[in-house]
Structure formats: C-alpha cells, structure tokens
Amino acid sequence: MIMMKPVKQMDVKAGMSANELVKEMAGSGVMGAGRIAKAVEIAEAMIKQKDCKMFFGLAGAMVPGGMKNIIIDMLKNHFIDVLVVTGANLTHDMVEAIGYRHFQGTPNIDDKELNTKHIDRIYDSFMPNDVYEGLEDFFAKHFDDLAKEKLTIKEFLWKLGSIMPAGKPSILRTCFEEKIPVFCPAIADSGIGLMIWGNLAKGKKIEVGVFDDLKEILSIAWDAKHAGVFYVGGGVPKNYIQQAMQFSPNSAEYGIQITMDRPEPGGSSGAELREGISWGKMSKQGKFVDVICDATIALPLIYAALKERLGKRN
Amino acid sequence: MIMMKPVKQMDVKAGMSANELVKEMAGSGVMGAGRIAKAVEIAEAMIKQKDCKMFFGLAGAMVPGGMKNIIIDMLKNHFIDVLVVTGANLTHDMVEAIGYRHFQGTPNIDDKELNTKHIDRIYDSFMPNDVYEGLEDFFAKHFDDLAKEKLTIKEFLWKLGSIMPAGKPSILRTCFEEKIPVFCPAIADSGIGLMIWGNLAKGKKIEVGVFDDLKEILSIAWDAKHAGVFYVGGGVPKNYIQQAMQFSPNSAEYGIQITMDRPEPGGSSGAELREGISWGKMSKQGKFVDVICDATIALPLIYAALKERLGKRN
Amino acid sequence: MIMMKPVKQMDVKAGMSANELVKEMAGSGVMGAGRIAKAVEIAEAMIKQKDCKMFFGLAGAMVPGGMKNIIIDMLKNHFIDVLVVTGANLTHDMVEAIGYRHFQGTPNIDDKELNTKHIDRIYDSFMPNDVYEGLEDFFAKHFDDLAKEKLTIKEFLWKLGSIMPAGKPSILRTCFEEKIPVFCPAIADSGIGLMIWGNLAKGKKIEVGVFDDLKEILSIAWDAKHAGVFYVGGGVPKNYIQQAMQFSPNSAEYGIQITMDRPEPGGSSGAELREGISWGKMSKQGKFVDVICDATIALPLIYAALKERLGKRN
Amino acid sequence: MIMMKPVKQMDVKAGMSANELVKEMAGSGVMGAGRIAKAVEIAEAMIKQKDCKMFFGLAGAMVPGGMKNIIIDMLKNHFIDVLVVTGANLTHDMVEAIGYRHFQGTPNIDDKELNTKHIDRIYDSFMPNDVYEGLEDFFAKHFDDLAKEKLTIKEFLWKLGSIMPAGKPSILRTCFEEKIPVFCPAIADSGIGLMIWGNLAKGKKIEVGVFDDLKEILSIAWDAKHAGVFYVGGGVPKNYIQQAMQFSPNSAEYGIQITMDRPEPGGSSGAELREGISWGKMSKQGKFVDVICDATIALPLIYAALKERLGKRN
C-alpha cells in the first residue's frame, strides 16, 4: 500500500511564533497550510544548499502592497542572488525613495471621484498622482548622467540605485549596494519608462539594449552548481528566470511559487511548477511547491518562519 | 481630500509571534494582509461585545484539512454560539472520533490506482475507504437509540455527539457537551445520511423533520441583542445563517468570511459580505471583511493572533 | 512517442451557428475551448446512450442569472432524469412563477441605498424585496394543503409544482408535470424554508422527513444500467448526486461539470471529476470534463450546440 | 426608484447563430452572459466609431490555445490598429510559421516522462522541443540581416515578419504586411530572445533599444481622436497600453478585458478596467466591460457574434 502520513489536526496556542504556527501547518500537511509549510522547508533547504544561486521573480503590486522591506531584507541577507522584477515595482520603490507614500484605500469607491482628486487606485491602495511630478524632477536632474554611456538594463538599474536618495529603504539602492544583479526586461513598460520617454520626447537620447542582459543572466544560470527559483507572482519575472533555467545545463532543484492565478487557462503566470520539468526548467529531482495564496499573506508568513529557523544568520 | 493612512511597509523579524506578524499586516493595511488583520480586529471586537451571538458557518473539507482542533477550541471557548456545518465535516469528525485518520496525499496521482487500493481522495488528502465499515458498525449499534423518538436535526446531532467515543477530540461531542446548537440542514447529503439510508433500506424508521430547526435558529437570531457571523467557506452553512439574519430584527454587526470563491459568477458562496446589507442580513453600520484565502492558511493565522490578543481568557 | 493530435487554429466566420463554433473549439481541442467542445460531445453521447439516467445538479443563482428556460427545456426534453437543486433556485423559480421578475443591476453600488429602496442584490442582478410578501400570501393560502399529509421533500416539491400558477414557465411545475424527481436536501435553507418557518411560528405543523428521499435517489441510481452526471455549480446538489453514485453498483460513465471554484482548497464544489474515480463515484472507463467557466456563458453555448446536434429530437 | 430592466430568461434554439446566442445573453444581461453581450456591443461601437484607434493587448498562451487565426483575421480587418503582445505568443507564431505544430495534450501526465520524450507542456497543449532547432536554424540564417542596422523593437518585429515563410498564416507576417505597429516590450523574455542570445554568445552583435518604441506608441495614442482598448490577458501588453492611455490627452473611451485573474491581490492583470478611470487611463464617459472567462471560450464567441453584426465589412 501507498505509505501514508496522517494529517495531524493543527493546535493553535496564544503567543505561538510564526514558525511554531508553520510547524503545525507542516503537521497537517495538506491544502494551503501544507503548501505554506513546504515552502518554508524548501526555502530553508535552498539557503543552506552550498553553491546554490537563488533567482527571485517579483511581480504584482508588491510595493503598494507593503512587501518592500521584506524584499530588501532578503536582498541584504543574500537570500536573493538574482532579482527579476516588473518595472512597476521599481517605479513604486523609487516613488517611496524620493519621499512619497502609498495609502490605504478601498475598491468600493467612485473612480471618477478619485480621478478628480488626483488619486490613482491600485485595488485597495491609493497613490497620489503628483508622484509623477516628483519622478519628472528626478529624471530631469539625472537623465544626462543616466544616458551618458551605453548600458544594459541591469547597469541602468544599478546606476539608478546608486543615485537613490539615502535614508529611505529602497530595493533599487539595495541591489546596487549589495551588487545583486537586477533584471527588468520590460523596463519600458513602467513609470520609469514613461520618464525616459519624456526626455526622449525632448530630443534627448539614451542607449539601453533590450537583448543585452541575456548574456549575464544566462551566464549566472549556466555557471550555477545548484539553482533555486522563488516566484512572487508570474508575468515576465517568472518567465525570464524560467527560460534561463531551460537553457542552462543545470535546471532548478528548488522552487517556490506564490500565485493566485489558475493553471487551466494556460498562461505562464498560473502554470504549476511541475510543468517546468517537461521543459527542462525544473530538475526531475527538484523540490517544488505552488502556494495558491495572496502574496501579501503568504510571503510574510513564510519569511517570518524562515527567519526564525535560520536564527543567528540574520 | 480623502483622509488617508499610509501603507507601512511590513517588517518581519525572527521569532515574532503570530499576533506581531498580524500587527505588521495591519500596518500595511491593504490587499490580503490588510484583510487578515481586519479579520482579527473584527473577531476580537465581536468576542468582546457584550450580548453578541456568534454564528459560525463551516463548509469545505475542513476536518481532512486539519482544522478540527481549531473549531473545537473555538467551541470550548464559546467563541461560537451557533454552529452551522456541512454533513461532510460532521462525517469526517465522526470518522476520526471512531478511530480512523485522514492522510497526507497528492492530487498528482492516478485515481484509478487509488480506487483499486480503496483510498478516497479529497484533493491532496486521502481517506481509507474502510471508514465506511466503521461507520456502518457504529450506526448498526446505535440506530435504534438514535431513532427512538422524533427529533430535530439539532437534537439528532447532539444525540450523536453524546455517543461519540470519549477520548478523541470531536466537534460533535463538543457541541453536545458545551450545549452549543449545531445545525446541518443538508444532513442527508453526507456519509451520516448514507448510514441512515442503509438502515432505512433494511426497513427501519427514523423521524427527523427537515424544517423543524428553523424555529430554533430564527429564535436565537431574533433574540440576539447583537449578532456576528463568521464563515469558513460558503454553501448551505453561510446561506442558512444569512437567512436567519435577514428575517431577524437585528442584522449582523460583525462579519468575517474566508473564501476562495469569486463573486462575479453570482453564487452565494463567493458573494461579498457587503451584498448582505441590501438584504438586511448585514447591518448598515456593521464591520465586515472578506478574506480571499485558503481557509487552512487564514483560519490558523487569524485564530493564533486572536488567542494572543484575548490572552488570559483562554 | 505519445500519439498526438495537432491544435487546429480556430476559424471564426460571420453567421456561424453555435455548433459550428463549438466544432472549431473541438478542432483546437485545448484549454477552455477544448473543454466546451468535450462537454458537448459527452452530453450528446450521454443522451444517445440507451438506458442512461442523467442526474443534473443545479447550484448558484441560475434563475436570477437567466438560465431558467434552459433548465425547463432540458427537463421537457427529458435530458434530465433526476434534478437535484438548491432551495434558492427553487425560490427564485417560484418568485417568477407568481409574477415577479429579477432585474439587471450592478455590483458597483452602495448596498445601503439598495436596502433603503428594498432591493436585494445578487451580484449584478436585483430582486425587489416585496417578493417575500407575494411568497407569504402564496404560502398562507396553500400551507394547509401542503401540510395535510407526511411527505418526502420530493413529494413536497411536486405538490408545490402542482399548484404553481399556470402560464409562467417554472422549473417546479415542469418537474411535476413531467414526473421528474426533484430533490432539494437543504430545502429549509431557502426562501421556501423561511415561508414554512413563518407558518410553523404561527403554530402550524408540517411533516417532511429530512432522510426520506435517500431511498428514492439511491434506488434510481442503483437500478440505472448507465448513469451520467451534469453539474452546474457544486454545493449540495453535486455532492448529493456524487454520494448516490458512490453507493451504487454502477458509477457514472459520463460527467460534465461547469464551475468557477478552484480544486486546491479541497472543497467538493471545486473538486475535479476525476477525483470521483477514487471514491467509486465515477467509472474508471468514464468520460468526464471539468469546464472552468461562468455557467451563464458555458451552459447556453453547450446547450445550443447540443440542440443543433440532436436536431429533430427537439 | 432605480430604473431597472428585467432579466429575460434565455431561450436556446437548435441552429441559432453565435450572434443570436449572444443576443439572448444580452436579454439576460447579468453575470458572465451579460458581460459577453456587453463586450460584443462595445467592440461593435468601437469599430464603428470614426477615427478610433484600437489598441489590442495579447497575453497568455494564445497560439498554443488555438487563437492565432482569430488574431490574424482581426488584423486583416484592421479591427486592431496597434498590437502589443508577449514574446511567447510571437515565438509560438514563428514556430508554426516555420512549419511546426502545437498538439492536444493533458495536464494529467508525468512531466518527467514528457521531458524524456522531448515534449514541452503548456497546461494541456504540447510542443515538441525540437522547435528550438528549427528556430536556431532560422536565426542562424537571418541574424546578420536582422542585426545589420539599429532598430526599434517594432522595426525588428516587422523585419522578422517580412522574412516569415509565405503560405503559413502568421501574426508577425500579417503585422508587417498590413503595416500594423506591433510592440513587444519584453521581447528578450521569449524564445526569440533566447535565439538572439545564442548569436550574441557567439560574439555577434545587435542593436535594439529598449526604450525606443515609447515615442511611437505614445504618439499614436496622443494623436488618436478616439481610443479603444481590448485586452486578452493582462501582463505587459495590458500595462503598456494602459500607460500610453494615461499619458495621452484622450483616454480610452471603449474597453474590453478578458481575464481569469482576480482583482483582489492587486496586480495589474486582474485589475478591473474601471480602476483605470482614477489614473486617467480610461475616460470617465467610457464604456467598459471585464469578461471573467477563459479567453479561448470568450474571444471566439465574441468575435463570431461581432463578425455577424458587421456583416459585409468582412
């Protein structure tokens, strides 16, 4: 007969730590709880694995969603070796770095009224539209410096990180300071892209090649003795890492994906990680988990448990 | 301008308690994290509210999913005044009470093979099919006692609870011991129903009226000075409580719903709680939150934070 | 190598019939389109199968959602041999039969305002709250007749069907007229239940046994040479049919399920049909399809193609 | 009182055309069916609107999903004035253009076995891995020509379209032939990107600027007297069009979105179109609809009805 481990009914106690809670989830071992527990186990194994490169894909409105400091903490701890991210998250990171904030809002509101009040809605978070003035001023001031030599997107982003105002936590700045490669293939599709466009429209020039980062991310993947992937959301960040895995001799041995997208419609964002085995993106011997959960719930819970397990390392 | 509270980026620390984590989610205040935090706040307010009846609806495979002990703990603490539940959850509760277990499985398996091995699959949990033999023996032994007088479904369930073997945690037994009304309008739609059918098929008789509990649940709702609702999943449990609220002078002032169903297809299970305001099920001044999350993640996290806040009460 | 059929890119032409469109979907054969096409094929095979009993489960707000006439048409054509349904759908059917209507609304509205205007919201459909007065009058007039003898739920529903006003299309009336067994295990959980409660509260009595239909549905399933299941939504209707299949010597050989619920959280409503094979609910040689789609889109499309294929039979 | 239009129960007849079916959906007017009908109405109005630029965003595995010919037909009819697309869809389009096929598969399979057989899985469609050899040969042959001058991504894609083998329907070739601007901001994130990388790795060079298309798409948006948007899936294509709308004097007056992503987690892909009003992406007087449906079901149905309405134009 199939060897089976019983579902241990979870016990919840006042004052239990995030990791103690996740251990109860591991005891249960099924459905969403079981997957959260498995994600912590895989993340721990990936970090403890010698010579393992961890590729982290970040999509969705994660800065407006309050996840910025967790990403920065992961970067500072070098739990992330390569970051692939949407332009929107970098724009929102810049927005906060140059002094603006996101706000708690609601979706049950008249968007016409918000427009009149110059408030941009991101589901239930609000952003004042005047952030674009701040971004314009910033890019007006720094454009010539950013554009003075031909750059890859990664070089462009590190340069951007290097000029982020000090004193405010920033993903971009942290990537620069920690020398963590940050890729954003669709950088033109973002507020940052729009700011560059504003300067191009004034007749200025900038040379950033769309294909030029491929050599770097593929080299990192190619040279990695071991590789792990961690996806918060899907989109370009996930796919860009997946294709680096596909074309490398060693595919990913560890994988965590947090998503609310469904697999059935066939898109990459909702695809189960096991599908990657067929492509050679994921190792046949790999350990993977798909966490079907809002990332603003799953990521903090997983990360709190993980930090507790890793203890003194932090 | 609209008064706005900034999104505080969440800080996650090693060793933080579940409640400390939820407080960070409250600081962020948006998306899934914000809703988890709001659920804890509403649950706390509901419990601290004097003369507030808490109606709890339980649907989905929550016993195979490892949630049994949390429900029992809530019942023992009288955080639940009225339980409405699916027959499946009561059947799975009985299954464990009479000595069987659920097991950790996987959905990536050939169901034909499972059938050959007499294993019933509930997504990624497994149940040995021989539980039905145990249930048959139990009902063969107790049917005459259960059927000796005309009962409401609630009375039937309390009686069932009273004969659950001691020593195993049981929702049914706890409801009986704590004298908490437990309703299961669709009791016939369950393993328990099938066991009754088995005895009816042998020519035995039982009299349990399908409409007879309505007086009791409506009376409780009618007499409640304050009412709160807590839904884990939708289905009959949610709707049965909602209709009691609709026909009572006081509608629900507190509401928490944990669901993965979508609102757009129009079903009751995925309906946002605010919709209930139009019907008079929810109070216009009520505090509600829809937590879009797998219940096996959200419920333990919410409950761990809640227990910590309520402290010595437990 | 695995034998593989190519995906034929769909061609869409002006004036094509619903069935021609579905044939293009069959040519593509993948994702949602492929599943719609497979559903039509399975439905056609099930109807053409000699001695096949078709069990139809109906959940979700399908009468407010405009699906009533399709269900009635299926009943009249005897494409449905056994109907299992939620109390809400029967209530909404009665509401229209006694002269009320549902209305096109919107979810982007203040539910407090709707409440003040006595409009009940079902996502984006509206129902005037005064339907309850109509229902009260109806049950006041007919209660004594309905309650004069002990009935099963099915007998109660046929009796209700028999007194529906003529001239308005009605699911209940059609079931009575066509002598199609209609089961509603959770009938107490509905507007109909509330109307009965109103009369019980006045001291009247009615005897309808909660377990008494089990013999009839199990007998039908037991005696069926072949069985097919068709689920629109999940909930009690799906589960009640599934358990009849489980305890019958012949499990379902044909299965169609239309749902927007996800499988991962573990509930019955979102469970893939193949899971039923492990339980013995579905035949190992059966043909099944899970259509992940809003039922108000999928059902009319499937049914229009099906009617065209069956041709003269209608 | 709120003016309300009744829900007309849908009537389905054998042989009805796709448009007749959609008209029944319009009569119902609610839930998914109502949204399909509204999408057809908006698409028709958008096409009939004089001087209206139609921006079409295409994401998800739509070529493996059988939607290629529909997109080509829309391009040839100039129902699409600007196409923004993922690199994956362009890669799959090339794959078919150079002679390969996608195949009907299943998700219920061992991905390790697929890998051994060199079959790549895209949910339930399969692609033989040897397509990459074909792509390599193609790019080996054409790289020098593609790379001989500095290009924008659009120019690169038109050039690619111009050398697609004749005789096979192709999105890329049609865009080139019909002179329809096609943008793919994340082109590096695709099989096409990988082929370019393969040549860069051999020491070759290509100059395609990541920001250089922004001027063109913003100019088109800026100059449009009227604008409409049509999104199949979210991701970069949707967001790139949305930001062009945001920075133009005239925002979108027409909008259709087909998606299965949820709005609650806050990502752009699942965001309701009305959210765009707050940003100035959508006009306050605009007509929008979010169709919550698998695109391989919704798009053919909408397009078949639309073609029938437009009649002789095709």
Side-chain angles (χ1 to χ4, degrees):
Chain A
M1 207 188 109
I2 293 167
M3 275 296 300
M4 296 199 298
K5 206 171 157 183
V7 171
K8 191 200 148 296
Q9 297 291 335
M10 289 182 61
D11 290 308
V12 168
K13 293 190 175 60
M16 71 198 306
S17 72
N19 189 38
E20 286 166 346
L21 181 61
V22 169
K23 279 183 183 164
E24 288 297 314
M25 290 178 169
S28 154
V30 293
M31 302 177 196
R35 290 168 180 229
I36 289 280
K38 200 171 171 191
V40 176
E41 282 158 27
I42 291 172
E44 189 183 2
M46 172 159 51
I47 288 166
K48 289 186 173 167
Q49 168 71 56
K50 204 169 167 288
D51 296 323
C52 180
K53 286 279 174 196
M54 209 272 252
F55 294 78
F56 193 91
L58 183 69
M62 291 294 100
V63 173
M67 298 295 104
K68 184 181 68 174
N69 288 0
I70 292 176
I71 304 304
I72 292 173
D73 198 70
M74 293 182 83
L75 290 165
K76 287 193 174 164
N77 278 292
H78 287 264
F79 297 156
I80 298 175
D81 294 307
V82 174
L83 177 66
V84 185
V85 61
T86 57
N89 275 305
L90 296 181
T91 304
H92 292 297
D93 179 66
M94 275 196 70
V95 159
E96 296 208 349
I98 63 172
Y100 295 89
R101 300 294 294 266
H102 295 88
F103 294 89
Q104 300 178 13
T106 172
N108 297 320
I109 195 158
D110 183 350
D111 287 291
K112 295 173 196 171
E113 185 196 336
L114 289 180
N115 180 263
T116 306
K117 292 180 173 161
H118 308 291
I119 295 171
D120 301 336
R121 183 164 73 83
I122 303 161
Y123 192 59
D124 65 354
S125 71
F126 290 162
M127 184 177 75
N129 196 266
D130 61 10
V131 303
Y132 288 101
E133 292 162 34
L135 289 171
E136 272 174 38
D137 292 346
F138 181 91
F139 278 93
K141 197 170 152 193
H142 294 288
F143 187 84
D144 292 342
D145 180 43
L146 285 164
K148 82 177 163 212
E149 56 193 331
K150 191 169 191 296
L151 300 172
T152 64
I153 299 172
K154 189 213 77 174
E155 290 163 347
F156 172 80
L157 293 176
W158 271 6
K159 199 155 188 178
L160 208 50
S162 74
I163 55 175
M164 283 295 106
K168 298 264 185 188
S170 157
I171 292 171
L172 270 171
R173 186 171 190 93
T174 307
C175 287
F176 164 71
E177 287 175 352
E178 302 286 337
K179 297 293 165 245
I180 294 166
V182 50
F183 299 104
C184 180
I187 180 68
D189 174 37
S190 69
I192 294 172
L194 287 170
M195 295 303 122
I196 300 297
W197 162 75
N199 283 276
L200 297 182
K202 289 176 199 150
K204 299 199 172 191
K205 297 213 178 309
I206 191 166
E207 275 192 293
V208 180
V210 72
F211 293 116
D212 298 345
D213 296 272
L214 281 162
K215 279 166 79 171
E216 184 165 1
I217 189 168
L218 264 298
S219 290
I220 299 170
W222 196 278
D223 295 340
K225 285 194 188 154
H226 303 279
V229 298
F230 195 140
Y231 302 126
V232 172
V236 166
K238 176 185 177 183
N239 199 63
Y240 197 63
I241 295 171
Q242 292 284 90
Q243 73 175 26
M245 292 297 116
Q246 183 187 355
F247 272 63
S248 297
N250 295 312
S251 46
E253 294 167 56
Y254 304 93
I256 298 163
Q257 164 168 257
I258 304 172
T259 184
M260 284 289 278
D261 295 346
R262 299 189 67 139
E264 297 91 346
S268 160
S269 299
E272 291 178 294
L273 288 179
R274 71 176 173 93
E275 185 177 299
I277 294 172
S278 72
W279 295 78
K281 296 165 178 175
M282 300 286 141
S283 163
K284 287 181 192 176
Q285 288 77 41
K287 292 174 183 176
F288 312 123
V289 68
D290 305 296
V291 181
I292 312 299
C293 190
D294 186 304
T296 66
I297 299 171
L299 182 61
L301 180 54
I302 290 168
Y303 194 54
L306 181 66
K307 286 194 77 167
E308 189 173 341
R309 290 193 193 183
L310 295 172
K312 319 164 251 311
R313 288 182 56 132
N314 305 285
Chain B
M1 208 188 109
I2 293 167
M3 274 297 301
M4 297 200 296
K5 206 172 158 182
V7 172
K8 192 200 147 294
Q9 297 291 336
M10 289 183 61
D11 290 308
V12 167
K13 293 189 175 59
M16 70 198 306
S17 72
N19 190 38
E20 286 166 348
L21 180 61
V22 169
K23 279 183 183 164
E24 288 297 315
M25 291 179 169
S28 153
V30 293
M31 301 177 197
R35 290 169 180 228
I36 289 281
K38 200 171 171 192
V40 177
E41 282 158 28
I42 291 172
E44 188 184 4
M46 173 158 53
I47 287 166
K48 289 186 171 166
Q49 168 71 56
K50 203 167 169 288
D51 297 323
C52 181
K53 286 280 173 195
M54 212 271 253
F55 294 79
F56 193 91
L58 184 69
M62 292 294 99
V63 174
M67 298 296 103
K68 184 181 70 174
N69 288 0
I70 293 176
I71 305 302
I72 291 173
D73 199 71
M74 292 183 82
L75 289 165
K76 287 193 174 165
N77 278 292
H78 288 265
F79 298 156
I80 297 175
D81 294 307
V82 174
L83 178 65
V84 185
V85 61
T86 58
N89 274 307
L90 295 180
T91 303
H92 293 297
D93 179 65
M94 276 195 69
V95 159
E96 297 209 350
I98 63 173
Y100 295 90
R101 299 294 294 266
H102 295 87
F103 295 88
Q104 299 177 12
T106 172
N108 296 321
I109 197 158
D110 182 350
D111 287 291
K112 294 173 195 168
E113 185 196 338
L114 289 181
N115 181 262
T116 305
K117 292 181 175 162
H118 308 290
I119 295 170
D120 301 335
R121 183 165 73 84
I122 303 161
Y123 192 59
D124 64 355
S125 71
F126 290 162
M127 184 177 77
N129 196 267
D130 61 9
V131 303
Y132 288 103
E133 293 162 33
L135 289 171
E136 272 173 40
D137 292 346
F138 181 90
F139 278 95
K141 197 168 151 194
H142 294 288
F143 186 86
D144 292 344
D145 180 42
L146 285 165
K148 83 177 161 211
E149 56 194 329
K150 190 171 192 297
L151 300 172
T152 64
I153 300 171
K154 190 212 77 174
E155 290 164 347
F156 173 80
L157 293 176
W158 272 7
K159 200 157 186 176
L160 208 50
S162 75
I163 55 176
M164 283 295 105
K168 297 264 186 190
S170 156
I171 293 170
L172 270 170
R173 185 170 190 94
T174 307
C175 287
F176 164 72
E177 286 176 351
E178 302 287 337
K179 296 294 166 244
I180 294 166
V182 51
F183 299 104
C184 182
I187 181 68
D189 173 36
S190 69
I192 294 172
L194 286 169
M195 295 303 122
I196 300 297
W197 162 76
N199 284 275
L200 295 181
K202 289 176 200 152
K204 299 200 174 192
K205 294 208 180 316
I206 189 166
E207 273 193 294
V208 179
V210 72
F211 294 117
D212 298 345
D213 294 272
L214 281 162
K215 280 164 79 171
E216 185 166 359
I217 189 168
L218 265 296
S219 290
I220 299 170
W222 196 278
D223 295 339
K225 284 193 189 155
H226 304 279
V229 298
F230 195 140
Y231 302 127
V232 172
V236 166
K238 176 186 177 183
N239 199 63
Y240 197 62
I241 293 171
Q242 292 284 89
Q243 72 176 26
M245 291 298 117
Q246 183 187 356
F247 272 64
S248 297
N250 295 312
S251 46
E253 293 167 57
Y254 304 93
I256 298 162
Q257 164 169 259
I258 303 172
T259 184
M260 283 291 276
D261 295 346
R262 297 189 67 139
E264 296 92 346
S268 162
S269 299
E272 291 179 292
L273 289 180
R274 71 177 173 94
E275 185 177 299
I277 294 172
S278 72
W279 295 77
K281 296 165 178 175
M282 300 287 141
S283 163
K284 289 181 191 175
Q285 288 76 42
K287 291 174 183 176
F288 312 123
V289 68
D290 305 297
V291 180
I292 312 300
C293 190
D294 187 304
T296 66
I297 300 170
L299 183 61
L301 179 54
I302 290 169
Y303 194 54
L306 182 66
K307 286 194 78 168
E308 189 173 341
R309 289 193 193 183
L310 294 171
K312 340 168 226 319
R313 288 183 55 136
N314 303 287
Chain C
M1 206 187 112
I2 294 167
M3 273 297 300
M4 297 198 298
K5 206 173 158 183
V7 171
K8 191 200 147 298
Q9 298 291 336
M10 290 182 61
D11 290 308
V12 168
K13 293 190 175 59
M16 70 198 305
S17 72
N19 190 39
E20 286 165 347
L21 180 62
V22 169
K23 278 182 184 165
E24 289 296 314
M25 292 179 169
S28 154
V30 294
M31 303 178 195
R35 291 169 179 228
I36 289 280
K38 199 171 173 192
V40 176
E41 283 158 27
I42 292 172
E44 189 184 2
M46 171 159 51
I47 287 165
K48 290 186 172 166
Q49 168 71 57
K50 205 170 167 285
D51 297 324
C52 181
K53 286 280 174 195
M54 210 269 253
F55 294 78
F56 194 91
L58 184 68
M62 292 294 100
V63 174
M67 298 295 104
K68 185 181 69 175
N69 288 1
I70 293 176
I71 304 304
I72 291 172
D73 198 70
M74 293 183 82
L75 289 165
K76 287 192 175 166
N77 278 293
H78 288 265
F79 298 156
I80 297 175
D81 295 308
V82 174
L83 178 65
V84 185
V85 60
T86 58
N89 274 306
L90 295 181
T91 304
H92 292 297
D93 180 64
M94 276 196 69
V95 159
E96 297 209 349
I98 62 173
Y100 296 89
R101 300 294 294 267
H102 296 88
F103 295 88
Q104 300 178 12
T106 172
N108 296 320
I109 196 160
D110 183 350
D111 287 292
K112 295 173 194 168
E113 185 196 337
L114 289 181
N115 180 264
T116 305
K117 292 181 174 161
H118 307 292
I119 296 171
D120 301 335
R121 183 165 72 85
I122 302 161
Y123 191 59
D124 64 355
S125 72
F126 291 162
M127 184 178 74
N129 196 265
D130 61 9
V131 302
Y132 288 102
E133 292 162 34
L135 288 170
E136 273 174 38
D137 290 347
F138 182 91
F139 278 94
K141 196 169 152 193
H142 295 287
F143 187 84
D144 292 344
D145 180 42
L146 285 165
K148 83 178 162 210
E149 56 194 329
K150 192 170 191 298
L151 301 172
T152 65
I153 299 170
K154 189 213 76 172
E155 291 164 345
F156 172 80
L157 294 176
W158 272 6
K159 200 156 187 178
L160 207 50
S162 75
I163 55 175
M164 283 295 107
K168 298 264 185 189
S170 156
I171 293 170
L172 270 171
R173 184 169 192 95
T174 307
C175 287
F176 164 72
E177 287 175 352
E178 301 286 337
K179 296 295 166 244
I180 294 166
V182 51
F183 299 104
C184 181
I187 181 68
D189 174 36
S190 69
I192 294 171
L194 287 169
M195 295 303 122
I196 300 297
W197 162 76
N199 283 277
L200 296 181
K202 288 177 200 151
K204 298 198 172 192
K205 295 210 179 312
I206 190 166
E207 274 192 293
V208 179
V210 72
F211 293 116
D212 298 345
D213 295 272
L214 282 163
K215 281 165 79 171
E216 185 165 1
I217 188 168
L218 265 298
S219 291
I220 300 170
W222 196 278
D223 295 339
K225 284 194 187 153
H226 303 279
V229 299
F230 195 140
Y231 302 126
V232 172
V236 166
K238 175 185 177 183
N239 199 63
Y240 197 63
I241 294 171
Q242 291 284 91
Q243 73 175 26
M245 292 297 116
Q246 183 187 356
F247 272 63
S248 296
N250 296 312
S251 46
E253 294 167 56
Y254 304 94
I256 298 163
Q257 164 169 258
I258 304 173
T259 184
M260 284 289 279
D261 295 346
R262 298 189 66 138
E264 297 92 346
S268 161
S269 299
E272 291 178 293
L273 289 179
R274 70 176 173 95
E275 185 176 300
I277 294 173
S278 72
W279 295 77
K281 296 165 178 174
M282 300 288 141
S283 163
K284 287 181 191 176
Q285 288 76 42
K287 291 174 185 178
F288 312 123
V289 68
D290 306 296
V291 181
I292 312 299
C293 190
D294 186 304
T296 65
I297 300 171
L299 183 61
L301 179 55
I302 290 168
Y303 194 53
L306 181 65
K307 287 194 79 167
E308 191 173 339
R309 290 193 193 185
L310 294 172
K312 321 160 249 312
R313 289 182 56 133
N314 304 285
Chain D
M1 208 189 110
I2 294 167
M3 274 298 300
M4 296 199 298
K5 207 172 157 183
V7 171
K8 191 200 147 297
Q9 297 291 335
M10 289 182 62
D11 289 308
V12 167
K13 292 191 175 59
M16 70 197 308
S17 71
N19 189 38
E20 285 165 348
L21 181 61
V22 169
K23 278 182 185 166
E24 288 298 314
M25 291 179 168
S28 153
V30 294
M31 302 177 196
R35 290 169 180 228
I36 289 281
K38 200 172 171 191
V40 177
E41 283 159 27
I42 292 172
E44 189 184 3
M46 173 158 52
I47 288 166
K48 290 186 173 168
Q49 168 72 55
K50 204 169 167 287
D51 296 324
C52 181
K53 286 279 174 195
M54 210 270 253
F55 294 79
F56 193 91
L58 184 69
M62 292 294 100
V63 174
M67 298 296 105
K68 184 180 69 174
N69 289 0
I70 293 176
I71 305 302
I72 292 172
D73 199 70
M74 292 182 82
L75 290 164
K76 288 192 175 166
N77 278 292
H78 288 266
F79 297 156
I80 298 176
D81 295 306
V82 174
L83 178 65
V84 185
V85 60
T86 59
N89 274 307
L90 295 181
T91 303
H92 293 296
D93 179 64
M94 275 195 70
V95 159
E96 298 209 348
I98 63 173
Y100 295 89
R101 300 293 296 265
H102 295 87
F103 295 89
Q104 298 178 13
T106 171
N108 297 321
I109 196 158
D110 182 350
D111 288 291
K112 294 173 195 169
E113 186 196 336
L114 289 181
N115 181 263
T116 305
K117 292 181 173 162
H118 307 292
I119 295 170
D120 301 335
R121 182 164 73 84
I122 303 161
Y123 192 60
D124 65 354
S125 71
F126 290 163
M127 185 177 75
N129 196 267
D130 61 11
V131 302
Y132 288 103
E133 293 162 34
L135 289 171
E136 272 174 40
D137 292 346
F138 181 90
F139 278 94
K141 197 169 151 194
H142 294 289
F143 187 84
D144 293 343
D145 180 42
L146 285 164
K148 81 175 162 214
E149 57 195 328
K150 191 169 192 295
L151 300 172
T152 64
I153 299 171
K154 190 213 77 174
E155 290 163 347
F156 172 81
L157 294 175
W158 271 6
K159 200 157 188 178
L160 208 50
S162 74
I163 55 176
M164 283 295 105
K168 298 264 184 190
S170 156
I171 293 170
L172 270 170
R173 185 170 190 93
T174 307
C175 287
F176 163 72
E177 288 175 350
E178 301 287 337
K179 297 294 167 244
I180 294 166
V182 50
F183 299 103
C184 182
I187 181 67
D189 173 38
S190 70
I192 294 172
L194 287 169
M195 294 303 121
I196 300 297
W197 162 76
N199 284 277
L200 297 181
K202 289 177 200 151
K204 299 200 172 192
K205 295 211 178 313
I206 190 167
E207 274 192 294
V208 179
V210 72
F211 293 116
D212 297 346
D213 294 273
L214 282 162
K215 280 165 80 172
E216 185 166 359
I217 189 169
L218 264 297
S219 290
I220 300 170
W222 196 279
D223 294 340
K225 284 195 189 151
H226 304 279
V229 299
F230 195 140
Y231 302 126
V232 172
V236 166
K238 176 185 177 183
N239 199 63
Y240 197 63
I241 294 171
Q242 292 283 91
Q243 73 176 26
M245 291 298 117
Q246 183 187 355
F247 272 62
S248 296
N250 295 312
S251 45
E253 293 166 57
Y254 304 94
I256 297 163
Q257 164 169 258
I258 303 173
T259 184
M260 284 290 277
D261 295 346
R262 299 189 64 139
E264 298 90 348
S268 161
S269 298
E272 292 177 293
L273 288 180
R274 70 177 174 94
E275 185 177 300
I277 295 173
S278 72
W279 295 77
K281 297 165 178 173
M282 301 288 142
S283 162
K284 288 181 191 175
Q285 287 77 42
K287 291 175 183 176
F288 312 123
V289 68
D290 305 297
V291 180
I292 312 299
C293 190
D294 187 303
T296 66
I297 300 170
L299 182 61
L301 180 54
I302 290 168
Y303 195 54
L306 181 65
K307 286 194 79 168
E308 191 172 340
R309 289 192 194 185
L310 295 172
K312 330 163 238 319
R313 288 183 56 134
N314 303 288

